[in-house]
């Protein structure tokens, strides 16, 4: 069995604006540590998967960035999406390309912009998931044991049956649920049966292809048209023309919520999806007043704030619960409880034709 990985790296990280920009989105930034998030993702995978078997799905805008940041990744392993779509088309295209090159393979599918602090535990759980995926038509996902009632994540409810594989607990998935309100999130966490949906999946390539054929037949027709053009001089043109015909749909909705034989492994390995600026409170050390301070900052009587300087001195006095981020051409000042709504500013920039700040 050959192990392959598919890293999804086409997102724009808009809630991390103004540091995450169209030309340099979140996955290419050093949010935590000395390497970018996509570099860290590849580094984790290389513990068990050869770089020649790691694929990155992105758009044309980021292909050169990927090559620059991961120079040992084969050029042919960078899969270009001609238009933005959701995760189901991403997985679909990757699956037919991988099936062509590595017919008897298992795929690990994961985002490019997550932080995982305990890489050793991550690899341990991944090995257990790979073992489960080798049995029958199993689809495996990693569920993050929740530490608080987060409303920004989808949740996975586990069933009753459980077994151990490589010391990891494995549950049959009961259902996937959308992002809840706060009261419902509290119930989920209290029940002990719900896990955050990490967006990390493990399955045999042949199995996900079969599920796509059964549950997303229209997308499968498009994929088969693409496959027929493989190794011909019109391959790139066919993929470019056919890709927009696929649905803008997540793999969760298209497959995981409808398939049988889905398993979840609860995980605790210091995971964070760095979805917005408030994630820095979980990643960085806080000062005595609960602030995250990065860069050239002078703060007096400032509490529970996130402040990042691009070099220029930022001085604060008597403020609380703010996000202040200074970049070369933009300064963001935002109430911390509005962190998830930063995308509204980007919408307004587009309306006012100020695309140079996106």
């Amino acid at each position: 069995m050959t192990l392959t990985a598919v890293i999804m790296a086409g997102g724009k990280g808009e809630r991390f604006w103004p540091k995450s920009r169209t030309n340099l989105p979140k996955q290419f930034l050093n949010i935590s540590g000395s390497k970018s998030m996509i570099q860290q993702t590849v580094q984790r995978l290389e513990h068990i998967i050869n770089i020649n078997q790691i694929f990155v799905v992105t758009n044309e805008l980021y292909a050169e960035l990927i090559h620059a940041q991961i120079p040992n990744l084969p050029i042919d392993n960078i899969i270009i999406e001609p238009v933005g779509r959701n995760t189901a088309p991403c997985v679909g295209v990757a699956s037919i390309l991988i099936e062509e090159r590595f017919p008897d393979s298992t795929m690990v599918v994961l985002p490019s912009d997550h932080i995982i602090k305990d890489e050793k535990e991550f690899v341990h759980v991944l090995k257990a998931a790979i073992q489960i995926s080798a049995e029958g038509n199993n689809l495996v996902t990693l569920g993050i044991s929740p530490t608080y009632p987060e409303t920004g994540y989808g949740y996975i409810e586990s069933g009753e049956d459980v077994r151990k594989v490589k010391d990891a607990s494995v549950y049959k998935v009961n259902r996937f649920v959308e992002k809840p309100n706060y009261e419902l999130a509290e119930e989920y966490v209290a029940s002990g049966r719900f896990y955050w949906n990490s967006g990390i999946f493990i399955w045999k390539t042949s199995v996900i292809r079969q599920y796509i054929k059964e549950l997303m037949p229209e997308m499968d027709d498009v994929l088969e048209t693409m496959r027929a053009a493989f190794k011909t001089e019109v391959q790139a043109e066919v993929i470019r023309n056919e890709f927009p015909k696929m649905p803008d749909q997540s793999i969760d909705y298209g497959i995981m919520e409808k398939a049988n034989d889905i398993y979840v492994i609860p995980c605790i390995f210091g995971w964070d999806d760095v979805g917005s600026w408030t994630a820095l409170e979980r990643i960085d050390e806080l000062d005595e007043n609960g602030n995250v301070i990065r860069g050239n900052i002078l703060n007096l009587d400032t509490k529970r704030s996130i402040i990042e300087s691009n070099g220029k001195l930022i001085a604060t006095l008597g403020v609380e619960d703010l996000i202040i981020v200074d970049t070369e051409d933009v300064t963001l000042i935002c109430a911390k409880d509005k962190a998830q709504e930063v995308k509204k500013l980007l919408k307004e920039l587009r309306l006012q034709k100020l695309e140079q700040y996106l």
Side-chain angles (χ1 to χ4, degrees):
M1 178 189 66
T2 304
L3 285 179
T4 62
V6 176
I7 300 172
M8 299 177 287
K12 295 181 180 177
E14 291 186 333
R15 285 176 294 173
F16 224 75
W17 183 86
K19 191 168 182 181
S20 179
R21 308 291 275 268
T22 300
N23 292 326
L24 191 68
K26 182 178 66 171
Q27 59 268 33
F28 301 107
L29 299 175
N30 295 16
I31 303 295
S32 175
S34 59
K35 294 185 177 181
S36 73
M37 300 180 84
I38 192 169
Q39 288 173 326
Q40 291 179 31
T41 303
V42 171
Q43 178 181 282
R44 284 193 291 272
L45 291 170
E46 282 192 285
H47 290 299
I48 56 171
I49 302 175
N50 187 287
I51 188 67
N52 295 322
Q53 287 141 228
I54 295 175
F55 294 78
V56 179
V57 183
T58 189
N59 60 59
E60 199 165 357
L61 192 61
Y62 306 140
E64 288 188 16
L65 268 172
I66 290 165
H67 182 58
Q69 292 204 359
I70 317 166
N72 56 336
L73 181 76
I75 289 289
D76 289 347
N77 289 23
I78 302 175
I79 303 170
I80 304 297
E81 294 179 322
V83 293
R85 282 293 183 268
N86 215 313
T87 53
C90 170
V91 169
V93 170
S95 70
I96 60 171
L97 290 166
I98 288 172
E99 201 169 38
E100 187 76 16
R101 287 173 57 181
F102 304 104
D104 182 26
S105 64
T106 294
M107 291 169 61
V108 178
V109 179
L110 71 171
S112 60
D113 56 356
H114 290 181
I115 283 175
I116 293 174
K117 293 181 179 178
D118 190 343
E119 290 192 359
K120 185 177 179 181
E121 178 62 17
F122 170 74
V123 170
H124 177 75
V125 171
L126 209 51
K127 287 178 178 177
I130 289 163
Q131 185 172 320
I132 294 294
S133 71
E135 303 170 6
N137 294 328
N138 295 345
L139 304 176
V140 186
T141 185
L142 305 188
I144 308 301
S145 297
T147 52
Y148 61 95
E150 172 62 58
T151 59
Y153 301 150
Y155 284 70
I156 302 167
E157 183 183 23
S158 62
E160 295 300 325
D161 55 326
V162 61
R163 60 177 167 137
K164 292 280 188 178
V165 176
K166 297 185 182 293
D167 297 324
S169 297
V170 182
Y171 294 85
K172 193 83 182 286
V173 169
N174 188 32
R175 61 178 173 137
F176 287 77
V177 294
E178 298 298 318
K179 298 173 182 177
N181 59 35
Y182 188 80
E183 291 73 22
L184 203 51
E186 282 188 312
E187 290 179 24
Y188 289 168
V189 174
S191 74
R193 300 193 315 275
F194 286 82
Y195 304 94
W196 291 334
N197 185 351
S198 69
I200 301 172
F201 307 106
I202 302 92
W203 44 54
K204 287 185 288 192
T205 311
S206 58
V207 170
I208 195 62
R209 288 290 300 117
Q210 186 58 39
Y211 272 118
I212 290 171
K213 193 181 294 288
E214 291 175 11
L215 300 175
M216 303 187 73
E218 292 181 3
M219 188 174 88
D220 185 65
D221 289 344
V222 178
L223 292 172
E224 287 302 325
T225 301
M226 292 182 185
R227 186 204 289 274
F230 282 178
K231 297 180 181 176
T232 71
E233 59 185 22
V234 295
Q235 176 178 334
E237 182 183 350
V238 169
I239 291 176
R240 188 167 57 250
N241 291 337
E242 292 296 317
F243 193 93
K245 299 177 184 178
M246 289 194 286
D248 189 353
Q249 198 170 97
S250 71
I251 197 72
D252 303 65
Y253 181 78
I255 303 294
M256 301 301 282
E257 293 181 13
K258 301 167 185 173
N260 300 314
D261 302 317
I262 305 180
Y263 294 86
V264 60
I265 301 178
C267 306
I268 301 174
F269 42 49
W271 174 90
D272 201 294
D273 80 335
V274 198
S276 69
W277 281 104
T278 53
L280 296 189
E281 294 178 318
R282 302 186 293 269
I283 297 166
D284 286 17
E285 287 188 18
L286 306 182
D287 71 8
E288 65 275 10
N289 291 312
N291 299 307
V292 174
I293 301 298
R294 290 183 167 196
N296 192 14
I297 313 294
L298 172 66
N299 67 86
L300 296 176
D301 193 24
T302 298
K303 299 175 182 177
R304 301 178 304 279
S305 292
I306 298 164
I307 310 171
E308 177 164 325
S309 166
N310 189 43
K312 182 171 60 182
L313 175 67
I314 296 177
T316 62
L317 174 61
V319 301
E320 299 180 358
D321 300 309
L322 285 183
I323 297 168
I324 303 172
V325 181
D326 185 53
T327 67
E328 190 173 327
D329 59 345
V330 175
T331 301
L332 169 70
I333 302 172
C334 170
K336 206 165 66 175
D337 63 2
K338 298 290 185 182
Q340 295 286 345
E341 300 177 33
V342 167
K343 290 166 82 170
K344 289 182 178 179
L345 291 171
L346 278 64
K347 183 179 180 181
E348 188 62 28
L349 286 172
R350 293 185 182 99
L351 286 173
Q352 295 193 26
K353 302 190 184 307
L354 295 170
E355 287 84 357
Q356 70 268 31
Y357 297 112
L358 293 175

